[in-house]
Amino acid sequence: MDRRGNVPSTLSVDVSQFDRGDISFIIVCGALVLFMVPGIAFLYSGLSRRKSALHLIWIVAASNAVVIFQWYFWGYSLAFSSTATNGYIGNLHNFGMKGVLADPSPGSPLIPELLYSFYQMEFACVTVGILMGALADRGRVLPALAFSFVWTTLVYCPLACWVWSTNGWAFKWGVLDYAGGGPVEIGSGIGGLAYSWVLGRRTERELLNFRPHNVSLVGMGTFILWLGWLGFNGGSAFGANLRAVLAIWNSMIAAAFGGIVWCFLDYRVERKVSMVGFCSGTIAGLVAATPTSGYIPLWASVITGIVVGAFSNYATKLKFMLRIDDALDLAAEHAMGGVVGLLFNGFFADANLAALDGVTSIPGGWLNGNWKQLYIQFAYVCATIAYTFVMTALLAMAFDLIPCLKLRASPEEEALGMDDTQIGEFVSDYVEVRRDYLDWTPVYHPEEGVTQTKREASDGSNTLTAAGDRHGQPDISVHQHHSVGHTPTENNGLNDVEHTSEKVSITHS
């Protein structure tokens, strides 16, 4: 005990082998990656209907907390345990982060394992956050939280083990996946597609005249994501080195070209530039840069951005062909973007660029005459897609068989909105106006497929109240439909109610 009463630690930890600059750099990059979670939440909220916008913010934030616990509990061990040799999934050697401290990390000798585990935890959180977009307008949140824990255990951890663990089969086979084209992008995109398939299509009423409720939130979420993605890809060099700078540059180029190409394709049809289109293309470019940015030259990222901007744009039609209601285009942007990036590694990966971190050695792709790399990448893409879709669908079906864990909300809840029925709060305070007017809550009529509320006014007339200003139908128009002192006849009153009910069904979205 020293003179201050402190007991000296008996734990011997040697951190002198690590450069403090590398450690500081990865800590900062990990903090940037954390920004991707609110970026995803705001993006999804802006893309959804107003009555379900807070629902998506909440589920992205809450699933982040679940994954943090899962990763501490056994997720890191199942993905990166160095003593597991089956090539598919790790063991529980590092259960509860036991023994994870100052040894060189399994991903890079440049940083300690404790820091590496933190950084990889952020990747898992982002992946599940993206997957939660499949709940849009119809998914129940509490079953989704339980699902996120199990999905991370049985789907994400194996995918991460395959390509990043030193004992993974894809790692040993020589697959090139710099920052997560397989585990993060294909995992979230195809996982979201499978989850949407099990949930089923939204009602036709919810699909009618659908458009994002707040494009400003879409833009803000995209720009936050863009910032976080620089930490995501730059930090995957695991040190403050030139390879990290290369990855950041490649990410910027692919994002820029992806956004512009998507906009041009939309302009060809609409003769207008679209903010949502630019954001979608930018994200697709960042997705494609995820597996490539630490391997390919800068000029190749120009090609990557152009190709993924066009490919992901046309891939948004895939959900119609498959008849799967992938509401937020997770498959088109994340899965297809990941596929493009992984395949482009087969063409453009350069061994000299990968070695800029001082520790990585790869045979490269076609640029280095390694012709077989392309089929290795293609086989890995096929395996990742098949495993993710089948496992996610089976897990979702199993959850849906448990009465208390039904994944989808009831038709009545969908009509009211997920914010009202699942969260109890709202993304905007429009609802405060309706509380001042008799605390209006619509009643669902399943035989009509619409919501309607009928109040008896003091003069005996029928008054309907709508919530929101949607698709050119402001609230005030509904109130003006019944002028003061108007007492309808029996037939006319019924017609008035039916006519206004149609307005309610459109405006309450």
Side-chain angles (χ1 to χ4, degrees):
M1 181 180 296
D2 61 17
R3 59 188 179 86
R4 294 183 178 179
N6 298 321
V7 178
S9 173
T10 59
L11 183 64
S12 177
V13 177
D14 180 18
V15 295
S16 60
Q17 59 185 312
F18 305 113
D19 184 271
R20 291 187 178 183
D22 290 339
I23 293 177
S24 300
F25 178 73
I26 302 305
I27 291 174
V28 171
C29 286
L32 287 176
V33 175
L34 181 61
F35 276 99
M36 295 180 71
V37 174
I40 294 167
F42 290 135
L43 172 69
Y44 285 176
S45 176
L47 288 171
S48 69
R49 287 187 181 274
R50 197 188 71 216
K51 65 180 182 180
S52 298
L54 190 63
H55 161 250
L56 289 174
I57 294 179
W58 191 93
I59 191 58
V60 170
S63 65
N64 180 69
V66 170
V67 176
I68 290 172
F69 168 70
Q70 190 275 351
W71 200 250
Y72 158 77
F73 187 67
W74 61 21
Y76 176 75
S77 187
L78 293 176
F80 293 102
S81 175
S82 59
T83 59
T85 58
N86 58 63
Y88 167 72
I89 192 170
N91 55 28
L92 297 180
H93 177 73
N94 299 117
F95 177 80
M97 301 297 290
K98 181 183 66 175
V100 177
L101 201 59
D103 292 332
S105 74
S108 171
L110 298 176
I111 60 173
E113 188 174 13
L114 185 64
L115 178 57
Y116 180 79
S117 64
F118 160 74
Y119 191 71
Q120 287 292 346
M121 177 191 71
E122 298 294 343
F123 280 44
C125 290
V126 168
T127 304
V128 174
I130 296 170
L131 172 64
M132 291 296 103
L135 274 68
D137 291 327
R138 63 202 191 278
R140 297 178 61 216
V141 294
L142 294 182
L145 290 183
F147 178 87
S148 65
F149 183 94
V150 178
W151 187 88
T152 308
T153 301
L154 297 181
V155 180
Y156 181 82
C157 287
L159 292 178
C161 177
W162 291 1
V163 75
W164 287 329
S165 172
T166 53
N167 293 315
W169 67 264
F171 181 89
K172 290 182 176 179
W173 200 27
V175 171
L176 301 179
D177 188 354
Y178 174 67
V184 178
E185 307 303 350
I186 292 179
S188 60
I190 297 299
L193 186 71
Y195 197 96
S196 298
W197 178 59
V198 175
L199 277 183
R201 285 170 57 83
R202 289 167 289 177
T203 63
E204 293 305 316
R205 176 182 174 276
E206 297 299 326
L207 295 172
L208 180 65
N209 204 17
F210 175 80
R211 63 187 184 190
H213 95 279
N214 191 326
V215 179
S216 296
L217 276 181
V218 175
M220 184 178 72
T222 300
F223 299 142
I224 294 174
L225 273 173
W226 197 337
L227 173 64
W229 229 300
L230 300 183
F232 195 91
N233 290 347
S236 292
F238 299 115
N241 51 59
L242 200 56
R243 193 185 186 196
V245 181
L246 174 74
I248 292 172
W249 251 116
N250 277 327
S251 302
M252 296 293 285
I253 293 172
F257 277 89
I260 294 298
V261 167
W262 191 301
C263 264
F264 281 169
L265 289 174
D266 285 352
Y267 183 83
R268 177 179 56 87
V269 177
E270 303 289 342
R271 295 300 175 190
K272 295 178 182 178
V273 293
S274 164
M275 186 63 195
V276 173
F278 178 79
C279 291
S280 299
T282 298
I283 291 171
L286 290 167
V287 168
T290 298
T292 64
S293 57
Y295 290 125
I296 68 175
L298 298 182
W299 59 263
S301 283
V302 175
I303 302 173
T304 301
I306 293 172
V307 171
V308 77
F311 188 70
S312 290
N313 183 292
Y314 286 110
T316 57
K317 310 298 187 291
L318 185 64
K319 61 185 178 184
F320 301 110
M321 298 169 58
L322 298 175
R323 296 191 63 80
I324 298 176
D325 187 11
D326 184 8
L328 303 183
D329 289 320
L330 303 185
E333 294 186 36
H334 292 276
M336 296 302 103
V339 169
V340 169
L342 286 167
L343 294 180
F344 273 28
N345 277 342
F347 292 109
F348 302 124
D350 189 327
N352 295 323
L353 295 178
L356 289 175
D357 60 5
V359 295
T360 300
S361 176
I362 63 169
W366 283 19
L367 287 183
N368 299 123
N370 182 26
W371 314 113
K372 70 177 183 179
Q373 190 63 45
L374 184 59
Y375 81 72
I376 291 175
Q377 299 294 114
F378 179 77
Y380 171 68
V381 165
C382 293
T384 305
I385 290 175
Y387 178 81
T388 302
F389 189 90
V390 171
M391 285 297 295
T392 304
L394 290 176
L395 284 174
M397 290 176 181
F399 268 75
D400 217 32
L401 293 175
I402 304 173
C404 61
L405 293 178
K406 290 287 185 181
L407 299 180
R408 181 162 182 167
S410 67
E412 294 86 352
E413 292 175 322
E414 291 180 44
L416 288 170
M418 296 294 99
D419 288 0
D420 199 350
T421 61
Q422 295 284 304
I423 308 301
E425 297 170 329
F426 302 85
V427 75
S428 301
D429 66 352
Y430 295 101
V431 72
E432 300 302 328
V433 176
R434 83 181 194 192
R435 284 175 180 164
D436 291 340
Y437 291 92
L438 305 180
D439 195 21
W440 177 82
T441 299
V443 177
Y444 180 74
H445 297 282
E447 67 278 2
E448 300 176 13
V450 300
T451 55
Q452 175 180 320
T453 294
K454 179 178 178 181
R455 299 290 189 190
E456 293 295 327
S458 58
D459 60 357
S461 63
N462 295 325
T463 304
L464 287 117
T465 310
D469 186 349
R470 186 70 174 152
H471 305 315
Q473 297 286 345
D475 289 346
I476 190 66
S477 66
V478 179
H479 298 294
Q480 285 175 341
H481 182 73
H482 298 276
S483 59
V484 177
H486 170 62
T487 304
T489 63
E490 180 177 353
N491 290 335
N492 289 339
L494 179 59
N495 292 335
D496 287 344
V497 170
E498 290 175 348
H499 177 67
T500 313
S501 176
E502 292 175 359
K503 287 187 177 181
V504 174
S505 70
I506 295 174
T507 57
H508 183 60
S509 345

